[in-house]
Amino acid sequence: MDDRGTHALSRRGDHASFVAVQEISEPELFGREARRRLGAAWEFVHLDTAPFAHSTPFTRTRGKSHHNGIVFDTRVWTFVSSRAHHETRIGERHKPTFEVRLRPVGGGAIVRVLVVHLKSGGANDDIRERQLRGLGAILAKGARDEPTILLGDF
């Protein structure tokens, strides 16, 4: 990472300039509350993690839909892109990995942020092992010149 990227990561001093969140059931409300509590410069980008049978990129589910995402400070970061990686979605109930790419305001290296929410519990070791292999494949696909930050529970 060049000096500008390093500076963007630390510019907020003792405050984070982006935070990963999981299992957000009301993303519009969460986004409004994040801006109200953190300030108007904060943005929320998110992914609906509902099973394929219940959601498409163009529709939202009703009821218990969970979103994973990132809240970031637009004074520090510029949004570049986001996408879902389905290598960690083992069966219909497990979550995809959410990738958000951010560039420091004023230029610098793009930072690739991955938000993961893997299956919990020791009884699910076989699922977690498969998800971790999927996560390894996602990490291997990243551009070598883009630092990657992995956030979530893994």
Side-chain angles (χ1 to χ4, degrees):
M1 180 182 304
D2 65 19
D3 288 340
R4 289 178 293 185
T6 303
H7 179 66
L9 286 173
S10 62
R11 184 179 316 165
R12 296 283 298 167
D14 63 348
H15 299 94
S17 59
F18 59 82
V19 178
V21 296
Q22 301 172 339
E23 296 190 8
I24 302 300
S25 60
E26 296 184 57
E28 291 77 18
L29 174 61
F30 181 87
R32 280 194 312 274
E33 282 298 307
R35 282 185 294 285
R36 185 178 74 77
R37 294 169 188 239
L38 298 172
W42 286 77
E43 289 293 326
F44 177 44
V45 59
H46 55 92
L47 171 72
D48 187 343
T49 64
F52 287 130
H54 303 287
S55 179
T56 70
F58 306 105
T59 62
R60 296 288 183 220
T61 60
R62 295 200 168 121
K64 293 267 185 177
S65 178
H66 285 154
H67 294 242
N68 292 344
I70 293 181
V71 183
F72 67 97
D73 187 341
T74 61
R75 296 168 297 186
V76 180
W77 300 102
T78 301
F79 176 79
V80 176
S81 65
S82 66
R83 65 179 284 206
H85 291 279
H86 296 285
E87 292 89 330
T88 54
R89 187 189 288 274
I90 309 299
E92 283 205 9
R93 292 186 41 96
H94 306 105
K95 310 288 188 219
T97 294
F98 186 43
E99 175 182 307
V100 177
R101 294 171 65 239
L102 302 170
R103 181 184 304 279
V105 169
I110 291 173
V111 174
R112 178 183 185 220
V113 182
L114 299 175
V115 181
V116 299
H117 188 30
L118 302 185
K119 183 70 177 162
S120 64
N124 298 303
D125 285 347
D126 59 326
I127 294 169
R128 289 179 54 77
E129 183 178 323
R130 290 171 38 204
Q131 288 180 306
L132 288 168
R133 280 196 305 270
L135 183 57
I138 295 166
L139 289 166
K141 288 193 291 189
R144 295 202 185 277
D145 63 338
E146 289 182 11
T148 299
I149 298 172
L150 183 61
L151 299 172
D153 55 356
F154 44 91

